[in-house]
Amino acid sequence: MSSKSSTERRHRPRRHLAAVLALSAAALLATAPRQQAHASPADPVKAEAQWIDRDTVVWKGAERTAARMEFGDGGPSHRIRLTPGTLTPAERAAYPHLKDFPAFTVDPRDRNLARDAVRDRLIATQQRSSDAATSPATASSATTGVQIPGVLDDLYGLAARHAHLGPTFDAAGRPTLSVWAPTARTVALELDGRTVPMHRDDATGVWRAQGEPSWAGKPYRYVVRVWAPSVRTFVTNKVTDPYSTALTADSARSLVVDLADPRLAPKGWSRLKKPVAVPLRKARIQELHIRDFSVADRTSRHPGQYLAFTDSRSDGMRHLTSLARAGTSYVHLLPAFDFATVPERRTDQQDPGQQPDCHLAALPADSDRQQECAGRTAARDAFNWGYDPLHYTVPEGSYASDPDGPRRTTEFRRMVQGMNGAGLRTVMDVVYNHTAAGGQDPKSLLDRIVPGYYQRLLDDGSVATSTCCSNTAPEHTMMGKLVVDSVVTWARQYKVDGFRFDLMGHHPKANILAVRKALDALTPARDGVDGKAIVLYGEGWDFGEAAGDARFVQATQRNMAGTGIATFSDRARDAVRGGSPFDPDPRVQGFASGLFTDPNSSPANGDTAAQRARLLHYQDLVKLGLTGNLAGYTFTDTTGRRVKGSEVDYNGAPAGYAAAPGDALAYADAHDNETLYDALAYKLPPGTSAADRSRMQVVALATAALSQGPALSQAGTDLLRSKSLDRNSFDSGDWFNALHWNCTGGTGSGNGFGRGLPPAADNKDKWPYAKPLLADPALRPSCATMAATSAAYRDLLRIHAAEPAFALATTADVQSALSFPLSGTHETPGVITMRLGRLVVVFNATPHRQSPRLPSAGGPVSYVLHPRQAHGSDPIVKSASYSATSGSFTVPARTVAVFTRATGRQGEIRAARRPDCARVLSWTTQYHAPSGGLRRSWSGWA
C-alpha cells in the first residue's frame, strides 16, 4: 500500500492520559522490590538482542564472533554460550525484519537453562574482537538487554495457547483463577483482603488457584514478582486480571464472576430473537458513541448509559428505529469495553459548564472560551471515545447505572436487547492493537505481568507507539490468543453481532482469520449464537513498524481481499469530500463539495484546468467505490482508457483492491476527522444556502448508500450533525460531541454547529478558516432542513433495501450488471451515470440541472423515477424525468435520482409520483430549494 494514503499515515490521536492515569494508581500498585535488585549503572538501557527461539539469538549491531547471555548474577552456571550462526528458512519467514542482523546459535549444552534465564535479569555480552586483537588488556565488551517474546512462545506457547485463563467455574460453582505469567518468580492471589497461594504449571507458565463457591463476587488482584526491564529491577506488581469478567469501579479490582450466572441475564435473554442476519455485502451501518447517543436527549430516562437503548420512546431510539425500518441493519458502537480515561463514578466526573466562568450556551458561536472550558475538565469529565483499552473483555463502567460490580454486564445485555428489538444488530469497535500504557505505568496491565512480551518492541527494545499508544504484539502467541478469546466471549456471552477492528493493519492477517475461524465454530445449539452470521471489518491501513508486511503478513486492505472481512476504503471517501483529512487548507474540494463545478476561493484547488482534471479522476474513484472498490472490475475511465480497478491510481497505490463486493466498506464520514457537514462547511463556497448544503450532504451520503458492499455513516450525519468543526473530538467532551435528535427540544443546539471554536490542540491551525464560518448564522441549518436531509437519506436506504441489484455477490455479477455508460473523454464533470440492472442512477453534484443521455436506452425502453423517490420525501427529486424520445434523464441540481425501467404498470408507477399526503408528518411555511428549483415545504416525513 502507498504511504501517501492520508488515512494510512494517520496516527491515533493523543489521549491526554497523564492526568487521568493518576485516578486509580493505587488500584494497580507496584510495591517495593522484596530482594536486592540486580540493576546497576552497567545494566543496558537498550535491548538489541532478540532470543527468537530456544536455539537462536539475533543481535543487531553485534560482531559475528562468539558471544554469550548472562542471567541472574552472571556466574558460570548462569551463562549461555552463543556461536555465530544463520537463520533457518523458517526463522527468516517468521522474523523477516531480522533477516539481515547477525544470528547466533545457543550452545546445545546450555539449552536447558532457557526456562530459568527468562525469569531473571538477562543480558547479552560480547567482547569486541577488534579491541582484543590490538589490546587484549583493555578490550571492551558490548552489552545489551535481551528481548524474549520469541523464546517464550517456543518454550510455552504451544501448550499455553489452549489454557483457560481468567475465572472459570466447574459444575459445582467452584472457581479457578488462572493467569499466564511464565517469567514471574512468584504469583499470589490477593482475594478480598487476604493472600491465597497460586501454583505454577511448568509446561504452560500458567499460575492457578482453585477456590470455593463462596469466592463468587469477591474482589481480587494478582501479586506478581517479576523482573521488569523497563526499570531494570525486580518489582512486585499488584495487577487486575487481563481476562477479567467483571470489575469494581474505576477498575480497581477484578471480581470473581461467572458470566453464565443466570442472575446476570436480563429477562428474555436466553430467548432473544435477533433481526434477520444481513450479509456484510449488504450491510448499512450507523456508527455511534454510547454517551453521544443520549446524554443530551431529554426524552431518555437513562442519558449517557447503556440503558438509554431500552428507552424505546426516546427521540434517539425513535430515530434509530426509523433508520432500521428504512434499511439500516447494524449499529456500530464505539469502544464499550473498559477503558482508562473516564472516572466511572458520576460523583467523580466534572462538568465544564459548571465552572463559574463557563456559561457555554451564552458564549459567541466563534469564541475560544468553550474549548478552553472543556479543556480544563477533559481529564476528569465523563467523555472519551474510549480508544484506551484497559480490560478488553469487560463493559465500560461509566455507561452503567452502577460501575461497582457486574451490573454493567446486565445492562450491556439489555442494550443489545434494546437494539435488537428496534431491528438493529450490534457491532463492537474493538481495540486490540494497543494498550492505554506499558511498562510500570499504573494503567499497564499486560506489561506488568509478563514484561516485554505483550507489547511490540522495536529493534532497540523500546515499545512501538505508531498507533498512538503502547502497541501490542498480536503476532505473539498469547496476545493473539487474548484477541481470539476476548472476541469469542463478547459473541457468546453478550450476543454481539459484529466486530470492527481498530487499526487492523497492525494485526497479522493470520490473527484476524483465527478470529473468523473461532466465530464460525459457534452454533446456536451449543453457544446460543450463530457465529457464521457475525460480521467482521476493520481499518486496514498500512503504516508504522509493521508496514509493507515487514514483520508478518498484515491484515491490510490488499491482504484481506477475498477473506470476507471488509476494510474501510479511503478511496471514494477522499474523492467525495476532496483532498485529505490532513490538508493545511481544509477548503480543498471534491466531487460532492463543488470542485470545478462550484469552486470556492482556495488556491489549494489549483486553476480551472487542474480542478477539472482532478474532478474527473475523482469521478473514476467514486465509480470504483460504487462497484465495491473491485480490483478486477473493468470500465472506461475519464481519459478514455479501458482499465481495471487495480489500474486506477490512488496516491500512487492501486485504487481497486477488493476481490468481491463486501471486501471494501464505503463511507463518507466517521468519528475520525471532521463530520461530513463540517467538511462541507469548509469546502462549499461560503454563500451556499442551507438547503444546498443539505442537498450536497445527501449526494455525498448517496455515494456510499448506493454502493455495492457494506456502507457506514456516522450517527447524526443524516441530520447534518456538526461538531463545530472539530476534526478530532476524542476528548472534547459532551459540549462538542453530544447528538441532538430533536433540535427544537429546548436546548437550542440545532445540529451542533457554532458551539465555539474547536479545541486548540488539534484544530488551532484551522481557526482562521473556522472563525468566520462559525460566526455566520446562515450555516446553522433549520430544523426543517435537518429533517429533510434525514428523510431524503432514508429514501435512499429504502431503495437500497428494496433492490437486490445493490447486493451482488461476485465481481462477475457486478461486471455483468453494473456499468457507467457515459464514462470517457466526454464525461460531464460533476455527473456520474450508473446503470445497474433495471436501474439507472444519476449523481448530479453540480449546481445546475443536468440531462445525461443514454442512446441505448431509447426506443422501446422507458424509465420512471423510482417509487421510493417518486412518492418520497424530497419534492425536488420528483421533478426528475426521462424522455424516451431522446433517451435523456433530466435531474435537478445537487440531486441523486434513481430511475427504474417501466413495466406494463407504467401508468400506475407514474401515478405514484404524486405526493402521498398520508405520509406527511407536518408542514412548514417554505422549503428552500436550490436556485431555480421547486419550492415546497415540509419538516418531516415518515
Side-chain angles (χ1 to χ4, degrees):
M1 309 309 300
S2 169
S3 62
K4 296 180 182 179
S5 169
S6 59
T7 6
E8 289 165 3
R9 292 177 303 175
R10 77 160 169 71
H11 290 227
R12 267 284 170 209
R14 297 183 299 276
R15 296 294 200 260
H16 301 311
L17 282 172
V20 181
L21 293 181
L23 287 177
S24 46
L28 299 163
L29 180 66
T31 62
R34 296 186 179 180
Q35 72 166 43
Q36 182 178 356
H38 289 285
S40 71
D43 278 341
V45 175
K46 295 183 177 181
E48 294 181 310
Q50 300 190 41
W51 197 352
I52 63 173
D53 57 48
R54 69 191 78 189
D55 294 315
T56 309
V57 174
V58 177
W59 185 350
K60 179 183 179 181
E63 296 181 352
R64 299 183 187 274
T65 60
R68 68 171 181 263
M69 292 188 292
E70 298 177 358
F71 62 97
D73 61 12
S77 63
H78 289 176
R79 296 175 183 171
I80 299 174
R81 289 160 287 192
L82 305 174
T83 57
T86 58
L87 296 180
T88 66
E91 290 170 335
R92 291 170 67 89
Y95 298 93
H97 61 300
L98 303 181
K99 61 182 175 58
D100 296 324
F101 296 159
F104 298 85
T105 300
V106 173
D107 191 308
R109 295 169 293 179
D110 300 332
R111 289 176 81 247
N112 62 346
L113 297 175
R115 291 179 184 268
D116 292 331
V118 296
R119 300 175 70 186
D120 214 327
R121 168 183 180 267
L122 180 64
I123 63 170
T125 183
Q126 182 184 61
Q127 188 176 52
R128 294 195 179 277
S129 59
S130 56
D131 292 344
T134 58
S135 180
T138 60
S140 63
S141 295
T143 303
T144 189
V146 181
Q147 301 180 33
I148 60 174
V151 72
L152 290 181
D153 280 347
D154 189 30
L155 293 171
Y156 300 104
L158 188 61
R161 67 192 305 174
H162 302 295
H164 295 289
L165 301 177
T168 57
F169 294 78
D170 65 16
R174 289 187 296 264
T176 297
L177 301 177
S178 306
V179 61
W180 188 67
T183 63
R185 286 294 187 88
T186 61
V187 181
L189 177 67
E190 184 186 87
L191 179 74
D192 199 22
R194 63 190 178 97
T195 300
V196 177
M198 300 187 77
H199 304 283
R200 186 179 194 271
D201 176 6
D202 291 337
T204 62
V206 174
W207 298 73
R208 295 185 177 89
Q210 187 172 26
E212 298 300 325
S214 61
W215 284 17
K218 303 289 188 188
Y220 72 96
R221 293 186 297 186
Y222 297 122
V223 183
V224 183
R225 182 164 165 262
V226 67
W227 175 265
S230 62
V231 292
R232 303 191 298 281
T233 190
F234 277 98
V235 294
T236 300
N237 289 325
K238 295 186 176 182
V239 190
T240 47
D241 193 341
Y243 274 72
S244 294
T245 55
L247 297 161
T248 61
D250 292 325
S251 311
R253 300 289 189 279
S254 302
L255 292 170
V256 183
V257 167
D258 183 0
L259 293 178
D261 187 334
R263 292 173 295 181
L264 300 181
K267 183 179 180 181
W269 182 245
S270 63
R271 303 182 304 278
L272 178 62
K273 184 176 181 180
K274 288 189 167 290
V276 175
V278 175
L280 183 58
R281 69 176 185 274
K282 194 177 180 180
R284 291 298 176 265
I285 304 164
Q286 278 277 295
E287 183 198 57
L288 181 64
H289 184 275
I290 290 172
R291 185 171 176 86
D292 287 358
F293 170 67
S294 61
V295 71
D297 186 349
R298 295 188 174 186
T299 65
S300 174
R301 293 180 294 120
H302 306 92
Q305 299 180 39
Y306 297 121
L307 292 179
F309 294 89
T310 68
D311 297 332
S312 59
R313 296 186 178 181
S314 71
D315 288 341
M317 282 306 296
R318 287 165 64 91
H319 191 80
L320 285 186
T321 301
S322 72
L323 289 172
R325 290 172 177 168
T328 297
S329 41
Y330 293 88
V331 166
H332 160 162
L333 297 173
L334 266 65
F337 50 74
D338 179 56
F339 53 85
T341 40
V342 167
E344 292 187 337
R345 293 188 178 95
R346 285 167 182 75
T347 54
D348 295 332
Q349 297 169 354
Q350 296 181 0
D351 181 350
Q354 297 302 311
Q355 300 173 86
D357 58 343
C358 290
H359 303 294
L360 302 180
L363 294 170
D366 62 342
S367 171
D368 65 355
R369 294 282 292 116
Q370 295 95 327
Q371 63 87 31
E372 181 183 337
C373 292
R376 289 182 202 159
T377 59
R380 299 284 304 182
D381 69 5
F383 183 86
N384 198 281
W385 279 350
Y387 290 90
D388 301 293
L390 196 55
H391 296 88
Y392 286 116
T393 322
V394 181
E396 163 61 19
S398 66
Y399 301 143
S401 62
D402 182 359
D404 209 359
R407 188 172 295 180
R408 59 179 85 184
T409 292
T410 302
E411 293 178 358
F412 188 104
R413 289 168 169 173
R414 289 186 63 189
M415 173 182 69
V416 172
Q417 283 181 312
M419 280 191 280
N420 288 173
L424 295 160
R425 294 169 76 89
T426 307
V427 172
M428 271 191 73
D429 199 325
V430 289
V431 187
Y432 299 109
N433 64 82
H434 65 257
T435 55
Q440 284 297 110
D441 191 286
K443 291 294 184 181
S444 168
L445 303 185
L446 297 168
D447 210 25
R448 300 204 307 134
I449 295 174
V450 193
Y453 178 82
Y454 284 102
Q455 315 294 159
R456 182 175 298 140
L457 305 180
L458 300 176
D459 294 340
D460 63 357
S462 62
V463 176
T465 57
S466 57
T467 63
C468 85
C469 308
S470 297
N471 296 8
T472 60
E475 65 270 26
H476 299 161
T477 300
M478 298 305 285
M479 184 63 212
K481 169 183 168 61
L482 190 157
V483 172
V484 174
D485 291 348
S486 178
V487 169
V488 168
T489 298
W490 285 113
R492 292 182 70 245
Q493 300 294 348
Y494 292 93
K495 302 188 180 182
V496 172
D497 304 297
F499 298 89
R500 176 266 194 192
F501 285 85
D502 182 70
L503 299 185
M504 188 169 71
H506 271 55
H507 288 255
K509 177 180 179 180
N511 179 231
I512 303 301
L513 293 181
V515 170
R516 178 75 272 169
K517 182 178 180 181
L519 290 174
D520 287 348
L522 302 179
T523 65
R526 185 182 64 247
D527 305 290
V529 295
D530 179 5
K532 292 181 179 178
I534 293 172
V535 299
L536 299 179
Y537 57 94
E539 295 180 300
W541 320 132
D542 185 16
F543 70 96
E545 70 286 346
D549 298 333
R551 293 178 174 237
F552 43 77
V553 177
Q554 302 161 261
T556 52
Q557 291 172 323
R558 179 189 62 191
N559 291 340
M560 296 308 291
T563 65
I565 299 169
T567 55
F568 284 84
S569 174
D570 42 2
R571 277 66 167 154
R573 179 207 66 188
D574 287 354
V576 168
R577 292 165 68 108
S580 85
F582 306 107
D583 293 326
D585 183 342
R587 298 173 296 170
V588 177
Q589 293 177 291
F591 174 76
S593 57
L595 180 63
F596 180 69
T597 64
D598 196 11
N600 59 35
S601 60
S602 172
N605 285 310
D607 61 21
T608 301
Q611 289 190 40
R612 186 180 190 279
R614 186 155 53 90
L615 174 58
L616 291 173
H617 182 65
Y618 277 168
Q619 289 180 201
D620 285 340
L621 293 175
V622 174
K623 291 174 219 165
L624 195 55
L626 291 167
T627 74
N629 221 60
L630 296 170
Y633 179 83
T634 60
F635 69 108
T636 301
D637 70 10
T638 51
T639 70
R641 296 183 307 137
R642 191 72 179 169
V643 295
K644 291 183 178 180
S646 59
E647 295 169 340
V648 177
D649 177 70
Y650 174 71
N651 295 332
Y657 65 82
D663 285 348
L665 184 146
Y667 69 115
D669 81 337
H671 67 278
D672 280 323
N673 311 314
E674 292 91 349
T675 69
L676 181 58
Y677 183 85
D678 287 345
L680 295 181
Y682 276 130
K683 297 171 186 295
L684 289 170
T688 306
S689 70
D692 285 349
R693 290 178 185 277
S694 163
R695 302 197 70 78
M696 292 303 278
Q697 183 106 347
V698 175
V699 170
L701 287 169
T703 62
L706 299 182
S707 71
Q708 300 293 320
L712 174 145
S713 68
Q714 182 176 196
T717 294
D718 60 305
L719 290 167
L720 304 178
R721 181 187 185 179
S722 168
K723 297 182 184 178
S724 206
L725 302 175
D726 191 350
R727 66 168 296 271
N728 187 18
S729 69
F730 78 97
D731 202 20
S732 300
D734 296 333
W735 181 252
F736 290 98
N737 282 284
L739 278 157
H740 304 280
W741 300 110
N742 183 351
C743 78
T744 61
T747 63
S749 296
N751 70 333
F753 194 82
R755 294 174 76 79
L757 286 166
D762 291 297
N763 300 279
K764 192 169 185 178
D765 60 329
K766 304 296 192 300
W767 280 6
Y769 302 103
K771 192 172 179 66
L773 297 174
L774 294 171
D776 184 355
L779 267 72
R780 293 193 283 278
S782 68
C783 294
T785 302
M786 293 164 59
T789 310
S790 181
Y793 174 65
R794 294 198 301 274
D795 286 344
L796 296 176
L797 290 178
R798 293 185 182 101
I799 292 172
H800 175 270
E803 298 291 345
F806 286 110
L808 302 175
T810 67
T811 296
D813 292 341
V814 175
Q815 190 71 63
S816 174
L818 191 155
S819 64
F820 301 99
L822 299 183
S823 185
T825 56
H826 299 293
E827 184 166 341
T828 302
V831 181
I832 295 174
T833 303
M834 176 176 74
R835 180 181 283 152
L836 178 62
R838 66 187 184 92
L839 306 175
V840 171
V841 184
V842 179
F843 299 81
N844 179 11
T846 77
H848 308 289
R849 184 179 298 271
Q850 298 289 342
S851 298
R853 179 175 179 271
L854 301 186
S856 61
V861 180
S862 185
Y863 288 87
V864 294
L865 192 65
H866 196 285
R868 296 292 185 181
Q869 287 186 317
H871 55 80
S873 63
D874 180 6
I876 304 302
V877 75
K878 292 176 184 179
S879 69
S881 62
Y882 172 75
S883 169
T885 303
S886 65
S888 298
F889 298 86
T890 300
V891 178
R894 302 181 176 99
T895 297
V896 176
V898 182
F899 298 87
T900 184
R901 191 173 297 162
T903 65
R905 299 172 60 203
Q906 178 178 338
E908 181 181 338
I909 294 174
R910 288 186 187 276
R913 293 180 61 186
R914 294 193 295 270
D916 181 359
C917 295
R919 303 184 69 223
V920 178
L921 292 179
S922 59
W923 293 78
T924 59
T925 58
Q926 185 175 352
Y927 172 67
H928 300 284
S931 301
L934 298 179
R935 289 185 177 266
R936 195 73 185 264
S937 56
W938 84 94
S939 62
W941 297 76

